[in-house]
Amino acid sequence: MNGHSIPGRISRHRSSDTFLRQFEEVNRTMTNETPIALTIAGSDSGGGAGIQADLKAFSALGAYGCSVITALTAQNTQGVQGIFDVEPAFIRQQLDSVFSDLAIKAVKVGMLSQPDVITTVADALAHYRPAYLVVDPVMVATSGDVLLHQNAIETLRQSLIPKASLITPNLHEAAVLLDRPVPKNPDQMIDMIGPLLALGSRAILLKGGHLSAGNSDDKATDFYHDGSSLHRLESNWIKTVNTHGTGCTLSSAITALLARGYSMSEAIPEAKKYIAQAIAHADQLSIGEGSGPVHHFYNIW
């Protein structure tokens, strides 16, 4: 098993010259065809996660974002107060609308709470066959609220994950997918990689942020398996309560970069740098009374 460590230093200040260089680099990587990324997920009425976080991350990283909404949530920084599922037939209509008109290169799938919805999305993706499919198996909100119905888990395993270019579970989601306890240390995380790959995705990014919260070394450790080798990805642990939407934002950041032409091995570390900065600057925002959002536009505002 081969691996390497990617450092994740946090630079808290960015000069205007650096900002301009970043956007010049975006322009250089764009072809005559605008990079388009699609998010298929639920709406967060509080604006910090779900569709709203995805579109912010797409925009911040230079991709044009479009969306298919699978559920509406009554949600804020303190929790989820209600979920209203969109009918599968209308979800398919949204999918047909965007795919029939837009040259979508990369797709991110987030909250799919019902088996019929998962099947509908999986069937449409099998038909349209985008170049990249990133699946963030959203099951539990940052607040601890359960977002995925139990009877949908097996449908997710069987119908959607085998079509994925990458899945991005956190520790709790990985435990649910594998029906095993939440890992307590990096070795137990590594033990999950093989069984997760066996679900059929071409690559795995297992996020260890929840594990890192109590560690003394102040490092957040994720593991990325590209289908042939394992890579250890480390970044500085940032102490803040404002982490709402971190998982959505990371997976959508990866999707945006894939749409722009990055390879998977390039997109993942770059997306981790972006989310680390978004978390590091989260306390600059004052949003709500609970767990606030990360700062998607830290380098613009």
Side-chain angles (χ1 to χ4, degrees):
M1 181 173 61
N2 300 319
H4 64 266
S5 174
I6 298 178
R9 289 185 180 175
I10 306 302
S11 173
R12 293 182 177 271
H13 301 281
R14 177 169 293 186
S15 69
S16 59
D17 288 342
T18 303
F19 174 73
L20 290 173
R21 284 197 299 273
Q22 176 192 10
F23 277 84
E24 288 170 357
E25 190 271 336
V26 168
N27 290 331
R28 282 197 299 272
T29 60
M30 288 184 178
T31 64
N32 290 332
E33 187 175 87
T34 302
I36 301 176
L38 167 65
T39 169
I40 305 171
S43 170
D44 174 1
S45 57
I51 289 283
Q52 287 82 352
D54 296 341
L55 293 176
K56 290 172 187 177
F58 290 169
S59 297
L61 291 173
Y64 178 87
C66 54
S67 65
V68 168
I69 298 177
T70 61
L72 307 177
T73 67
Q75 186 174 174
N76 54 32
T77 64
Q78 300 183 65
V80 178
Q81 293 79 45
I83 300 175
F84 183 83
D85 293 300
V86 177
E87 288 293 326
F90 188 67
I91 292 172
R92 181 60 193 245
Q93 189 173 13
Q94 293 178 75
L95 286 160
D96 291 338
S97 291
V98 293
F99 273 109
S100 65
D101 185 46
L102 308 181
I104 297 164
K105 182 175 182 180
V107 176
K108 174 262 175 80
V109 174
M111 178 183 172
L112 305 177
S113 61
Q114 299 282 355
D116 289 350
V117 170
I118 297 170
T119 301
T120 296
V121 170
D123 288 347
L125 293 173
H127 176 73
Y128 290 109
R129 301 179 66 183
Y132 293 102
L133 173 59
V134 177
V135 175
D136 184 24
V138 178
M139 299 177 185
V140 183
T142 302
S143 60
D145 295 283
V146 176
L147 300 177
L148 185 66
H149 295 273
Q150 285 295 322
N151 60 354
I153 295 170
E154 187 60 30
T155 307
L156 184 69
R157 290 193 194 106
Q158 297 295 327
S159 300
L160 191 60
I161 288 178
K163 296 178 174 62
S165 308
L166 176 74
I167 62 172
T168 62
N170 62 32
L171 301 184
H172 296 280
E173 291 159 350
V176 171
L177 284 172
L178 299 178
D179 193 22
R180 61 165 64 182
V182 176
K184 303 295 185 184
N185 55 58
D187 287 341
Q188 292 179 4
M189 289 178 64
I190 292 172
D191 289 341
M192 281 184 153
I193 297 296
L196 286 169
L197 281 170
L199 297 177
S201 174
R202 295 199 292 276
I204 306 290
L205 178 62
L206 180 57
K207 301 175 294 188
H210 293 83
L211 180 67
S212 305
N215 285 357
S216 59
D217 61 1
D218 291 327
K219 294 293 182 183
T221 301
D222 301 339
F223 288 99
Y224 164 53
H225 200 292
D226 59 13
S228 60
S229 59
L230 184 67
H231 308 267
R232 184 184 181 112
L233 310 177
E234 289 186 341
S235 59
N236 293 333
W237 175 255
I238 301 160
K239 296 177 175 62
T240 176
V241 299
N242 296 319
T243 57
H244 185 52
T246 51
C248 300
T249 299
L250 176 59
S251 58
S252 55
I254 294 168
T255 306
L257 294 169
L258 291 171
R260 281 182 46 201
Y262 283 64
S263 68
M264 189 70 74
S265 61
E266 294 169 335
I268 288 174
E270 285 302 310
K272 276 185 61 64
K273 292 175 186 176
Y274 168 74
I275 188 60
Q277 289 281 6
I279 296 170
H281 292 80
D283 289 351
Q284 294 178 0
L285 301 175
S286 178
I287 309 294
E289 300 297 326
S291 176
V294 302
H295 197 335
H296 295 89
F297 300 114
Y298 65 86
N299 58 355
I300 298 174
W301 291 11

